[in-house]
Amino acid sequence: MTAARVALLETVRDGDHLGVEAIASGVRGRVGHISLQAVYEALHALTAAGLVRRIEPAGHPARFEGRVGDNHHHIVCRSCGAVADVDCAVGDAPCLTASDDRGFAIDEAEVVYWGTCPDCSTRRSS
């Protein structure tokens, strides 16, 4: 692990579903210059190693989080794009049973809830 990768991992773990630009900015604040390409490469390596989780809500850029190894889902605000964790109601992966597994050995289910965050709901009602 290089100093830049350690800084990147710390940035992701300290952040809240950060995009690549926010991660790059956080890493630069910790170690100085780092190219966007180096950030992408480090994120790819850390995701492959299971140290970072990549989520891609439909219609939104990829986000990264440090919460890995558990069974949780996400809720996304349709208005501002805010993302929050939602614990699985059942607990163990895959936590959902497909009506027809089509012969697959299912080991994970990814659920994305969509709605409006409290801030956007307040703005709409004002």
Side-chain angles (χ1 to χ4, degrees):
M1 289 282 277
T2 65
R5 285 191 179 183
V6 170
L8 188 145
L9 186 57
E10 290 172 350
T11 299
V12 170
R13 287 183 175 163
D14 291 345
D16 186 22
H17 305 95
L18 299 174
V20 175
E21 293 287 341
I23 293 169
S25 177
V27 173
R28 289 179 186 126
R30 293 173 192 254
V31 297
H33 178 74
I34 185 170
S35 71
L36 206 51
Q37 182 62 36
V39 171
Y40 276 106
E41 290 171 3
L43 284 168
H44 178 74
L46 293 172
T47 301
L51 298 172
V52 169
R53 182 175 177 188
R54 176 187 176 118
I55 63 167
E56 293 183 67
H60 295 270
R63 305 277 187 96
F64 296 86
E65 65 179 338
R67 185 176 172 186
V68 296
D70 70 346
N71 193 42
H72 76 279
H73 307 297
H74 297 93
I75 187 163
V76 180
C77 179
R78 290 185 188 279
S79 182
C80 70
V83 178
D85 291 334
V86 177
D87 290 329
C88 182
V90 176
D92 296 322
C95 85
L96 298 172
T97 303
S99 60
D100 181 0
D101 65 19
R102 318 266 270 160
F104 283 70
I106 298 172
D107 61 10
E108 182 179 5
E110 185 174 316
V111 176
V112 177
Y113 299 95
W114 294 88
T116 308
C117 73
D119 289 342
C120 290
S121 293
T122 301
R123 274 185 243 133
R124 279 188 179 167
S125 65
S126 300

